[in-house]
Amino acid sequence: PDAPTQAQICLIDFGSVRLATSSEFTAALTTQVVVGTDGYMPPEQMGRRAVKASDLYGLGVSLVVALTGMPPSQLPHQGLRILVEQAVKTCSPEFVQWLTQMTEPELHRRFDQAQTALAALGAIA
């Protein structure tokens, strides 16, 4: 494929949670290794329970960072929740709500899969 142009955005490093087995241990003993970037990983990934919706959190944070120019550590937070409505002030309330659901730290409140998130985004476009 061609190299991306300046008008294209490319995201990488999704699905980075992996199970590693060390040859020094018995076959029954495994070690889980969490690979990711602090601030972009959802709480469940830190607890080694990543699911499809975990990548949506990372995408949501990436979008908030792109819109604000602030790294995740400088975004306003309340506990684990990014206060998207305080950080993103130039977008419609509907899009801010969508981003809020994308970055929801509680897994059961986040979009469950990419198709659901895309459908919700299409409904506000």
Side-chain angles (χ1 to χ4, degrees):
D2 296 330
T5 66
Q6 288 184 349
Q8 294 176 317
I9 297 174
C10 298
L11 295 174
I12 59 169
D13 199 27
F14 289 104
S16 60
V17 176
R18 60 189 165 99
L19 183 64
T21 304
S22 173
S23 61
E24 297 177 11
F25 295 103
T26 63
L29 182 61
T30 61
T31 302
Q32 287 190 353
V33 177
V34 177
V35 179
T37 304
D38 190 35
Y40 294 89
M41 291 186 299
E44 71 272 7
Q45 187 171 340
M46 295 301 295
R48 297 178 175 101
R49 298 179 297 119
V51 296
K52 289 180 182 179
S54 301
D55 286 341
L56 297 178
Y57 181 92
L59 174 59
V61 174
S62 297
L63 292 170
V64 173
V65 167
L67 288 167
T68 63
M70 293 187 287
S73 62
Q74 292 181 4
L75 294 170
H77 283 80
Q78 182 177 31
L80 296 175
R81 181 169 281 106
I82 297 171
L83 299 176
V84 177
E85 68 280 357
Q86 289 182 17
V88 178
K89 299 181 184 203
T90 58
C91 297
S92 72
E94 295 84 6
F95 185 66
V96 168
Q97 179 56 42
W98 183 84
L99 281 174
T100 298
Q101 191 168 352
M102 289 284 285
T103 59
E104 174 59 53
E106 294 185 41
L107 185 57
H108 70 278
R109 293 181 182 213
R110 195 177 318 137
F111 293 111
D112 62 342
Q113 58 184 332
Q115 291 86 354
T116 308
L118 185 59
L121 181 61
I124 63 173

